[in-house]
Amino acid sequence: MGRLFVINLKRIFANRMNMFWTIIFPMVLGTLFYATFGSGVDMEKMKAIPVAAVEGENQAFESFLNELDGSTLSLSWMTEEEASEALREGTVIGVFYAASEPTLTVTGSQLQESILETLLTSYLENEAMMKEIGEKNMLGMIKAAQSLSDYSQMVEEVTVSGKSVDNDVNYFYALLGMACLFGAFQGLTGAEELKANLSPLAARRSISPVHRMTMVIAEMLAGFTAQFFNICVLLIYLTQVLHLNFGSNLPAMIPICIFGSMAGVAFGIFIGSSRMPEGPKIGILVGSTLLMSFLAGLMFGGMKDVVEKYFPILNRINPAALISDAFYSIAVYENPQRYRMNLLLLALITGGMVWISFCTLRRERYDSI
């Protein structure tokens, strides 16, 4: 296994065409994105989020929203029908309902929607705390009310504590997703080196006593190692050379690069293990990779949210969207649940493709080589 791994790794790094698509092209594209969008986070975009509010019986919540109007929120009081129409047209980011139990309706999952959800969650938690304190200690309730009156600290923690990202950074997250999937070129080449009718090397391998699963694993590990190296170089280039702000949790990015690289290589082996000619395989690989990257927001930043709204299951089976969303999760959310779910889905998709590839390749038999 070790010797096969080293030989495969040398062969991968010697393939200049694959190395171009897996490392040079993403760096060039990232540089073009940087020239277009820049690297700074414009905090003005984080202010005065346009929202609608519907009046109800909860006057305390209405007062809370009015306090934030003009600073964090750009508030417009509407009827329920007007608010729903404004949300559909995109003129507001969300709609607050001042019912006895305040609620929020949003259509996306970007930073501004996250801020609105945090505002509502904080209000509900503080409201419950106030009721509990009031039942036990009226003097304590007065002090709690004084601390509760200053909501600016809570808003500041959401926007400037290292958990803020510019919407344009989502393009770079999608770029990293595309770069990981470009590891499919490594996997495709590796799979073809296991098919005796496609290369002399594979013909010699087919008569060796090495188990097929060992060959597949060695190919995948070599491709993954090379691709993981490429992704790390790309990430260092984006963060240290272009100085893009991907948040402060850099260690959490390593598992994303690992699982993303494995998914890309496994996808290439999956395509390469089929019995189609080489030309259609390359066409399918390139077309599907670009399509998945497009759906993850590479060409249109809000595309992932559109898919989430109308066909969310697609975001759960699209490796590029999972990789992009994992980067977004660690940059915005304190709770790692969404991050872990993305990694789990990537692992399941990768495992499925590897197993199918192995089952396909081990059935290969040749009358003559």
Side-chain angles (χ1 to χ4, degrees), residues 160-171:
V160 300
S161 66
K163 291 291 181 181
S164 61
V165 294
D166 189 349
N167 286 336
D168 292 337
V169 177
N170 289 317
Y171 286 98

Side-chain angles (χ1 to χ4, degrees), residues 300-319:
F300 171 58
M303 192 63 203
K304 185 156 64 73
D305 289 331
V306 174
V307 175
E308 185 68 26
K309 180 179 179 180
Y310 294 103
F311 196 28
I313 188 63
L314 196 56
N315 280 341
R316 308 296 179 269
I317 60 175
N318 179 0

Side-chain angles (χ1 to χ4, degrees), residues 60-362:
F61 185 64
E62 291 178 3
S63 300
F64 166 73
L65 293 178
N66 286 327
E67 286 184 14
L68 298 176
D69 186 23
S71 56
T72 304
L73 305 179
S74 177
L75 188 64
S76 301
W77 290 96
M78 304 178 182
T79 65
E80 186 171 352
E81 293 76 13
E82 292 172 341
S84 298
E85 181 65 24
L87 187 62
R88 283 194 299 269
E89 294 178 351
T91 56
V92 297
I93 300 299
V95 179
F96 286 107
Y97 296 90
S100 57
E101 182 73 18
T103 58
L104 168 68
T105 300
V106 296
T107 58
S109 59
Q110 297 297 319
L111 180 60
Q112 291 180 322
E113 288 86 349
S114 302
I115 293 176
L116 298 181
E117 292 172 357
T118 303
L119 287 173
L120 178 61
T121 301
S122 178
Y123 174 83
L124 294 175
E125 291 176 350
N126 290 327
E127 183 183 47
M129 179 188 68
M130 293 286 287
K131 290 180 180 178
E132 183 179 354
I133 293 176
E135 293 173 356
K136 297 179 179 179
N137 186 351
M138 291 301 298
L139 293 178
M141 183 177 180
I142 296 175
K143 294 181 179 180
Q146 291 175 349
S147 63
L148 191 60
S149 63
D150 183 13
Y151 291 99
S152 60
Q153 181 180 0
M154 184 273 295
V155 176
E156 181 180 359
E157 289 177 357
V158 171
T159 58
V160 300
S161 66
K163 291 291 181 181
S164 61
V165 294
D166 189 349
N167 286 336
D168 292 337
V169 177
N170 289 317
Y171 286 98
F172 293 96
Y173 294 155
L175 172 66
L176 287 166
M178 182 202 72
C180 287
L181 290 186
F182 272 6
F185 288 104
Q186 317 280 22
L188 177 64
T189 302
E192 291 183 344
E193 295 296 345
L194 293 172
K195 297 174 76 69
N197 60 325
L198 296 180
S199 75
L201 175 60
R204 292 193 295 272
R205 285 179 170 182
S206 66
I207 59 175
S208 71
V210 181
H211 196 275
R212 277 284 179 174
M213 183 54 116
T214 302
M215 292 185 181
V216 173
I217 292 176
E219 283 288 349
M220 184 170 181
L221 286 178
F224 156 68
T225 302
Q227 183 62 14
F228 178 67
F229 171 80
N230 294 340
I231 295 300
C232 288
V233 171
L234 175 62
L235 191 59
I236 292 172
Y237 175 75
L238 295 177
T239 56
Q240 303 302 317
V241 179
L242 300 185
H243 301 291
L244 293 171
N245 179 19
F246 284 173
S248 58
N249 196 358
L250 291 178
M253 296 182 184
I254 302 301
I256 305 176
C257 296
I258 291 175
F259 283 93
S261 299
M262 292 179 67
V265 175
F267 180 61
I269 293 178
F270 174 73
I271 297 295
S273 62
S274 67
R275 297 183 178 181
M276 293 183 293
E278 182 179 5
K281 288 180 184 178
I282 295 177
I284 292 174
L285 187 149
V286 173
S288 57
T289 299
L290 292 179
L291 177 61
M292 289 187 286
S293 301
F294 167 73
L295 295 175
L298 182 65
M299 295 80 168
F300 171 58
M303 192 63 203
K304 185 156 64 73
D305 289 331
V306 174
V307 175
E308 185 68 26
K309 180 179 179 180
Y310 294 103
F311 196 28
I313 188 63
L314 196 56
N315 280 341
R316 308 296 179 269
I317 60 175
N318 179 0
L322 293 172
I323 295 167
S324 172
D325 195 65
F327 278 108
Y328 177 80
S329 298
I330 62 174
V332 174
Y333 295 105
E334 293 286 352
N335 192 331
Q337 180 178 0
R338 182 169 170 175
Y339 166 78
R340 291 172 180 171
M341 180 57 66
N342 287 323
L343 295 185
L344 176 61
L345 290 173
L346 276 173
L348 292 175
I349 292 171
T350 301
M353 289 189 293
V354 171
W355 177 251
I356 294 173
S357 301
F358 166 68
C359 291
T360 302
L361 290 171
R362 74 174 179 176

